[in-house]
Amino acid sequence: MTTEDLVIRRAEKSDADEIFALARDFGVTFRPEREAFDRSLPQLLRDDRAMLIAAVVDGRVHGYLLGFVQLTLFANGPVAWVEEAMVQSGSRRQGIGRALLVEFERWAREHKAGYVAMATRRAPGFYHALGYEQSATFYRKVLR
């Protein structure tokens, strides 16, 4: 793959199968269920405060990123949050993750976000190389 082969675009309903397969690669508490995924996807595609983008090579989705812009009080306006970012294991280290983040940052700037943040313990070197710095500890409580 070359960077000329890579297209970063808004995800479409027709990308559902490939994005669902990638979402299942997350090693987290929740296991994506297709029925819930199919209910959520159309809502996310319509949501002006959500950005769901796909990294496409030769007509196939090799990665995706889901993020949001939300208003805050402490940051004097909106901030952007990456909720999910996944690149197919065989397609990593080829610039796909970088391209997804660059596109999300562009969109976040358009929405006047003060910063972009995410919670992850994976690939700290990758995020540092893109100018991200470690900022806080992440807490969560599972409600179901």
Side-chain angles (χ1 to χ4, degrees):
M1 183 201 88
T2 66
T3 53
E4 293 84 38
D5 299 329
L6 177 62
V7 175
I8 304 295
R9 61 162 171 76
R10 283 197 174 262
E12 302 167 353
K13 193 172 189 317
S14 61
D15 299 324
D17 290 341
E18 292 172 306
I19 291 174
F20 181 72
L22 288 166
R24 291 179 61 94
D25 283 344
F26 280 100
V28 295
T29 304
F30 297 100
R31 184 84 174 140
E33 298 172 3
R34 189 58 194 246
E35 187 177 313
F37 177 92
D38 287 342
R39 280 193 312 270
S40 297
L41 182 64
Q43 294 176 53
L44 290 168
L45 294 175
R46 289 190 306 267
D47 189 338
D48 291 338
R49 292 296 193 184
M51 177 67 146
L52 178 57
I53 51 179
V56 180
V57 178
D58 296 327
R60 307 237 2 153
V61 176
H62 287 248
Y64 79 95
L65 184 147
L66 171 62
F68 299 88
V69 169
Q70 59 193 24
L71 284 175
T72 65
L73 299 173
F74 76 94
N76 301 311
V79 299
W81 186 263
V82 175
E83 191 64 40
E84 301 173 25
M86 179 61 71
V87 174
Q88 191 176 54
S89 62
S91 299
R92 294 180 185 148
R93 299 189 178 276
Q94 297 181 36
I96 292 173
R98 175 183 296 271
L100 286 165
L101 275 170
V102 165
E103 179 60 17
F104 183 72
E105 290 169 5
R106 184 200 60 73
W107 178 79
R109 281 187 192 93
E110 282 182 3
H111 285 79
K112 310 291 188 231
Y115 64 81
V116 172
M118 69 202 72
T120 185
R121 288 187 290 253
R122 296 179 181 182
F126 168 74
Y127 293 107
H128 287 297
L130 292 176
Y132 287 82
E133 57 189 43
Q134 189 171 354
S135 177
T137 300
F138 179 72
Y139 293 93
R140 75 172 186 170
K141 182 178 184 179
V142 176
L143 298 177
R144 49 179 159 140

